[in-house]
Amino acid sequence: MNKIAQIFQSLDYGPAPEGPDQAIAWLDAHDRKFGHFIDGKWTKPGKTFSSDNPATGESLAQITDGTAEDVNAAVKAARAAFKGWSALSGYERGKYLYAIARAVQKHARLFAVLETMDNGKPIRESRDIDIPLVARHFYHHAGWAQHLNREFPDAVPYGVCGQIIPWNFPLLMLAWKIAPALAAGNTVILKPAEFTSLTALLFAEICERVGLPKGVVNIVTGEGGTGQAITAHEGIDKIAFTGSTDVGKAIRAVTAGSGKGLSLELGGKSPYIVFEDADIDSAIEGLIDAIWFNQGQVCCAGSRLLVQESIEERFITKLKKRMQTLRVGDPLDKSIDIGAMIAPIQVERIKDLMKRGIAEGAEVYEPDGQMPARGCFLKPALVTNVSPANTLVAEEIFGPILVAMSFRTPEEAVQLANNTKYGLAATVWSENINLALDIAPQIKAGVVWINGTNNFDAAVGFGGYKESGYGREGGREGMSAYLKPAWEKDLKPAPAPKIAAAKATNPLDSGHLDQTAKMYIGGKQSRPDSGYSRAVYDPSGKLVGEVGDGNRKDIRNAVEAARAALGWSTTAAHSRAQILYFLAENLDYRRDEFADRIKAQTGENGVEEVALSVERLFAFAGWADKYDGAVHNPPLRAVAAAMVEPLGVMGIVAPPSRPLLGSIALIAPALAMGNPVVLVPSAQSPLSVTDLYQVIETSDVPKGVINIVTGDSVSLAKTLAEHDGVDGLWYAGDAESSAMVEKVSITNLKQTWTSRGLYYDLADRRFEGDYFLAKATQVKNVWIPYGA
């Protein structure tokens, strides 16, 4: 039998090596030693560390470990460049982005080879996926630059952006961050991962060659200390980070109270759900891509296989057979499926996790085949016989390890899929499009792929829920992440609340029957757990009423009631609008009573405030069925439906001023978007909100959708921030307590908005639009393929 006939019979692949000569020549041209790229110039190398080829263990180059002084220099350069760069027209900025895209395409093979040598991923992936997407992002955002003023009126760039990227997609993550930042008019300091800095340095040369103004892009290499210097630097206006959840939490803590913009794209443990009616062969091919793409070193890797019990045995048998054909070896070989892990430390971490999982009862299958004699390689593995509590099911492995479980019903599939602290991505396989589109909205993840996986495009947002972070990259929402309202720069410090000096009285004396207002939890009035009450005084110090003094248990009860009411999010938007209209109508019926109550507490005429509160409820009733998403058209046979979804349970701590409007203006947008709320009204003047109980009860508001806990704003805000059952938290208060709220909220990375001691005039009509609507929602992109 001749050789060709043998190949057709065996289907074996011969080697197809990619030449590294040009990449080696580029490295040699730099004497394999690099400084930083700051202010359009290259610095002399300082203290260095080695960047190694993970497939061979050989050193590729020496990389400078950036210091605080290097970061200072980069911030200074970026700040100096910001005025000129942001002043350019969008057309002029777009031309630079277009030139970068063309240059990336021109040198695509050099970028791809260098990426594979530095990272270990197969050349087919860097050549056919990563680099084309890099160019796509710069092309796409070149267009955004020109249309920015039209699409984002009254928005301005943050200023200087600090960006920190991981080692799994070194150049692609750079493009995801730099392209929108530059399009918006920001300047950047980017730190690539210490393991994979080389393509970022090659990109810096591209910036030189296209004539990008100096200081607009600065590349500072280094290890963890360099990243810490960037996140803590007072001269940086926004931080964008992609990496582990633990580091993301640390960055949230460091930036708390600083007023910096923050985008976090963190870890994941994404479910890959296969229903019994799925095209099994296609689902298996998709699964190969979902978990063994880039050796499983992907934050959105489909690492949890959930397969319907009726097809489990057949599916696993076919999967094992397909795994036998996977080729592990030299990443520069174009016939290789699985390349090298990033570094020995990652290999050891995965082996340790596997030992823990096996000790907990897991069974591991690995295909036959030889492994390369040197380098950081691992075989693909399938793990079965696990419970949801197994370490390998719960922890992000970040390697070529697939964990499989079964389910019986769609409801069970959703429960298993959401049984994780993460929420980055998910995949659903079913030939029943009704079933697939029913499941997708129920999964708590920022991206859901139907009958496909790992689809990415610059026009479609990407980002997570829960501990997978917040903010989006790509699409309109990714563009808006690098812009802020122009009016924020004019905010003034909030005036100190006027606290009346109480007249000395005996707390047991009372000239009237006790009418202490209770809490409102789960649709009914409730006494405070503490058993204590708080006196409410008018400006002269006269007692005008009492309310319950809420504590941690009251917040716990309110959060439980709100979580039981999460079905509010699936109530039709029209129905939510109707209820908000009812609230407004019933409040208006009692406008004189509420105006008198405001005057009794504050001494000010409350007529206007009541009218504004009614108007604000009307405004957000009108928004309830209008603030929605879009359908994106990426350049493949699919559409991506951007679904606007509520955050979940929201804690809202109202400002001390405007006792009625201060609460209504914040809860109305949250309710309109489908969030149940736990409201802490003004501590000084809470009676305007406790009077709302009857309005709520007569307006068809489902129980648990609005919960009210009175008491000390700061202590209750802290409890809400610490509670993992709270998904979002808005706090209006001083700078110190705002910083506390942001810092404490890292327990589950809940999304926060704080006033930071600044005066937000909630009577202003700018707050009856999308400012708070955007903060009450998150976008899920559902990819839906079409065509035969």
Side-chain angles (χ1 to χ4, degrees):
M1 185 180 294
N2 63 40
K3 187 174 182 181
I4 294 176
Q6 288 176 332
I7 291 173
F8 272 107
Q9 185 170 341
S10 67
L11 295 181
D12 287 338
Y13 283 75
E18 174 70 49
D21 297 350
Q22 289 194 28
I24 290 172
W26 180 80
L27 291 169
D28 289 340
H30 289 271
D31 297 324
R32 299 199 177 217
K33 200 168 188 179
F34 293 86
H36 310 299
F37 183 71
I38 297 174
D39 202 23
K41 302 183 291 290
W42 292 92
T43 67
K44 291 182 179 180
K47 179 184 176 183
T48 62
F49 56 87
S50 180
S51 185
D52 300 333
N53 184 334
T56 65
E58 298 172 352
S59 176
L60 295 172
Q62 292 294 312
I63 307 297
T64 295
D65 190 10
T67 64
E69 289 73 22
D70 295 325
V71 172
N72 281 334
V75 172
K76 183 179 179 180
R79 181 62 63 194
F82 172 67
K83 183 177 181 180
W85 178 251
S86 60
L88 288 179
S89 69
Y91 168 64
E92 291 295 330
R93 290 198 303 273
K95 286 199 298 184
Y96 282 109
L97 292 171
Y98 174 79
I100 290 172
R102 293 289 293 124
V104 168
Q105 287 182 317
K106 181 178 179 180
H107 301 286
R109 188 56 63 94
L110 173 59
F111 272 113
V113 173
L114 189 62
E115 191 84 313
T116 287
M117 291 172 64
D118 203 22
N119 170 272
K121 66 174 61 183
I123 184 65
R124 288 187 296 117
E125 294 178 7
S126 54
R127 180 196 66 197
D128 299 341
I129 299 173
D130 290 24
I131 309 307
L133 273 174
V134 170
R136 164 74 174 145
H137 272 266
F138 281 100
Y139 277 127
H140 179 78
H141 288 93
W144 267 124
Q146 189 164 358
H147 298 300
L148 212 61
N149 292 338
R150 185 178 299 106
E151 292 297 311
F152 296 94
D154 303 321
V156 294
Y158 273 93
V160 176
C161 297
Q163 302 176 324
I164 302 171
I165 59 175
W167 42 259
N168 55 341
F169 292 93
L171 192 65
L172 183 55
M173 294 296 100
L174 175 150
W176 280 20
K177 287 180 168 52
I178 287 183
L182 298 192
N186 300 282
T187 54
V188 304
I189 299 105
L190 180 132
K191 189 196 91 68
E194 57 266 34
F195 289 131
T196 53
S197 301
L198 294 179
T199 48
L201 296 169
L202 176 57
F203 177 82
E205 283 197 8
I206 294 294
C207 293
E208 273 189 302
R209 294 190 182 188
V210 303
L212 192 70
K214 66 179 185 178
V216 171
V217 169
N218 304 273
I219 307 294
V220 180
T221 57
E223 298 182 324
T226 311
Q228 291 172 6
I230 290 173
T231 57
H233 202 290
E234 293 183 357
I236 291 178
D237 305 300
K238 176 184 169 68
I239 298 292
F241 171 78
T242 298
S244 74
T245 295
D246 287 343
V247 176
K249 288 183 176 182
I251 291 173
R252 167 74 280 187
V254 168
T255 59
S258 66
K260 292 178 181 177
L262 182 62
S263 299
L264 299 173
E265 197 266 280
L266 308 175
K269 193 72 178 177
S270 300
Y272 190 98
I273 306 171
V274 183
F275 286 97
E276 60 187 358
D277 65 346
D279 179 339
I280 291 180
D281 291 331
S282 294
I284 286 176
E285 287 307 307
L287 182 58
I288 297 298
D289 184 41
I291 181 58
W292 290 301
F293 174 58
N294 197 13
Q295 297 74 255
Q297 299 172 130
V298 183
C299 52
C300 58
S303 55
R304 286 189 297 144
L305 169 63
L306 305 177
V307 59
Q308 197 151 17
E309 190 176 85
S310 57
I311 62 167
E312 179 187 15
E313 184 177 349
R314 184 156 56 108
F315 190 93
I316 295 297
T317 299
K318 279 179 170 279
L319 175 59
K320 288 179 177 179
K321 184 177 180 180
R322 178 65 176 88
M323 288 174 67
Q324 289 283 356
T325 68
L326 292 174
R327 300 172 298 277
V328 181
D330 179 9
L332 283 176
D333 185 340
K334 292 186 283 288
S335 69
I336 287 300
D337 297 301
I338 299 177
M341 304 298 293
I342 188 63
I345 190 173
Q346 182 69 1
V347 173
E348 291 306 313
R349 177 185 174 276
I350 292 170
K351 288 180 177 179
D352 287 343
L353 285 170
M354 292 293 284
K355 289 177 183 176
R356 288 169 56 188
I358 291 170
E360 294 167 10
E363 297 175 2
V364 178
Y365 167 80
E366 292 181 346
D368 300 328
Q370 295 297 315
M371 296 285 286
R374 62 173 181 167
C376 302
F377 293 92
L378 284 173
K379 282 188 175 183
L382 170 64
V383 178
T384 56
N385 194 42
V386 291
S387 72
N390 189 286
T391 295
L392 299 177
V393 177
E395 297 297 324
E396 183 181 33
I397 301 173
F398 224 63
I401 314 300
L402 175 66
V403 183
M405 295 184 291
S406 65
F407 65 88
R408 291 184 178 180
T409 65
E411 293 77 15
E412 186 182 1
V414 171
Q415 289 175 350
L416 287 170
N418 290 336
N419 184 35
T420 174
K421 62 184 178 182
Y422 300 110
L424 189 54
T427 300
V428 178
W429 281 86
S430 173
E431 289 297 287
N432 183 341
I433 193 64
N434 292 323
L435 174 62
L437 291 177
D438 177 54
I439 296 297
Q442 298 182 59
I443 298 174
K444 301 303 180 184
V447 180
V448 178
W449 295 295
I450 293 176
N451 292 341
T453 195
N454 280 344
N455 294 319
F456 306 103
D457 186 63
V460 182
F462 181 87
Y465 288 13
K466 300 190 290 187
E467 293 192 33
S468 288
Y470 43 78
R472 294 292 182 264
E473 294 180 298
R476 183 184 183 88
E477 53 267 36
M479 190 67 250
S480 67
Y482 283 92
L483 296 163
K484 63 180 182 179
W487 49 261
E488 283 191 343
K489 69 179 185 302
D490 298 322
L491 291 174
K492 307 297 183 186
K498 298 177 181 178
I499 302 176
K503 294 179 179 177
T505 58
N506 187 328
L508 299 180
D509 292 338
S510 178
H512 55 78
L513 292 175
D514 179 34
Q515 295 182 349
T516 301
K518 299 180 179 67
M519 311 288 183
Y520 188 72
I521 296 174
K524 56 187 178 182
Q525 297 185 39
S526 172
R527 290 183 174 86
D529 173 71
S530 68
Y532 291 103
S533 61
R534 295 170 61 89
V536 181
Y537 300 98
D538 69 8
S540 70
K542 178 184 175 183
L543 180 70
V544 294
E546 293 178 286
V547 296
D549 194 10
N551 65 12
R552 180 176 293 272
K553 187 175 179 181
D554 296 312
I555 291 292
R556 184 197 70 183
N557 293 340
V559 172
E560 287 179 358
R563 295 211 71 81
L566 281 170
W568 176 245
S569 67
T570 59
T571 300
H574 168 71
S575 297
R576 295 199 302 268
Q578 287 272 96
I579 289 171
L580 287 172
Y581 281 130
F582 291 160
L583 279 169
E585 183 180 2
N586 290 327
L587 176 60
D588 191 45
Y589 285 149
R590 300 171 60 181
R591 56 185 177 274
D592 293 339
E593 174 189 338
F594 276 87
D596 290 343
R597 179 69 91 175
I598 291 170
K599 186 172 183 179
Q601 295 172 102
T602 67
E604 299 175 4
N605 188 334
V607 173
E608 182 187 14
E609 184 174 338
V610 176
L612 285 170
S613 299
V614 171
E615 185 178 346
R616 196 59 53 91
L617 284 166
F618 259 77
F620 285 109
W623 273 117
D625 59 357
K626 299 175 185 64
Y627 189 78
D628 49 23
V631 176
H632 302 303
N633 291 288
L636 66 158
R637 291 195 309 170
V639 294
M643 302 173 63
V644 176
E645 297 187 336
L647 295 183
V649 172
M650 290 188 62
I652 296 177
V653 182
S657 61
R658 295 188 185 271
L660 181 63
L661 180 64
S663 290
I664 293 293
L666 296 180
I667 69 169
L671 295 173
M673 293 297 98
N675 301 279
V677 303
V678 177
L679 171 67
V680 178
S682 164
Q684 283 74 41
S685 309
L687 296 174
S688 294
V689 173
T690 59
D691 288 348
L692 274 175
Y693 299 168
Q694 291 181 343
V695 175
I696 294 170
E697 289 170 346
T698 57
S699 301
D700 296 339
V701 179
K703 66 179 183 179
V705 169
I706 301 176
N707 304 276
I708 300 169
V709 178
T710 53
D712 179 71
S713 295
V714 176
S715 62
L716 294 179
K718 184 174 185 293
T719 301
L720 285 166
E722 291 171 335
H723 201 302
D724 285 349
V726 177
D727 303 297
L729 177 58
W730 295 349
Y731 175 77
D734 62 42
E736 182 180 0
S737 51
S738 292
M740 176 275 294
V741 164
E742 292 176 4
K743 189 170 185 176
V744 174
S745 70
I746 66 172
T747 55
N748 66 340
L749 278 177
K750 57 178 62 68
Q751 299 191 42
T752 62
W753 170 84
T754 63
S755 64
R756 297 180 292 112
L758 300 174
Y759 180 58
Y760 285 77
D761 182 4
L762 295 178
D764 194 306
R765 291 188 182 278
R766 67 165 59 105
F767 296 118
E768 67 178 26
D770 62 359
Y771 180 78
F772 283 118
L773 292 171
K775 298 180 188 306
T777 55
Q778 50 199 345
V779 176
K780 170 187 289 177
N781 277 283
V782 179
W783 289 70
I784 308 166
Y786 61 81

